[in-house]
Amino acid sequence: MPTYKLQVQDDETNAAIWHDVKSEHGSILVFQDENQARAKLEELFPILVKMERFASGPKRTRVIIENPYQDIDAEKEK
């Protein structure tokens, strides 16, 4: 069963650098359900997520399948 993790891009000028979103304890946030992952992403980064919905600016948040690595947001945009 796949697991999902959140990533965010801190520098909008460098689209190649993504960082895993971590909990307050420093561990990577991992989810068993894609919908839960997306809800947490919106909770933590509400402005960035809303901007992306309206195509205002570059994509700076994403949900990926952790194993094997796959950017499911990029797949959905095709």
Side-chain angles (χ1 to χ4, degrees):
M1 178 167 253
T3 57
Y4 302 87
K5 68 180 182 176
L6 313 176
Q7 290 191 329
V8 66
Q9 185 182 68
D10 295 327
D11 182 359
E12 67 184 50
T13 63
N14 189 345
I17 300 176
W18 290 88
H19 301 281
D20 293 333
V21 177
K22 297 182 180 181
S23 72
E24 63 271 5
H25 303 294
S27 60
I28 295 173
L29 292 174
V30 178
F31 301 87
Q32 301 298 317
D33 179 72
E34 180 184 353
N35 291 330
Q36 289 175 338
R38 292 194 181 283
K40 187 65 171 181
L41 186 66
E42 187 166 2
E43 177 186 323
L44 295 172
F45 304 97
I47 294 172
L48 292 178
V49 171
K50 283 184 178 39
M51 287 173 53
E52 290 171 359
R53 283 190 187 141
F54 297 105
S56 175
K59 180 177 175 60
R60 295 187 49 200
T61 64
R62 66 184 181 184
V63 173
I64 64 171
I65 296 175
E66 189 172 36
N67 189 11
Y69 168 81
Q70 178 184 356
D71 183 349
I72 58 176
D73 288 344
E75 292 296 321
K76 288 179 180 180
E77 292 174 1
K78 289 183 180 178

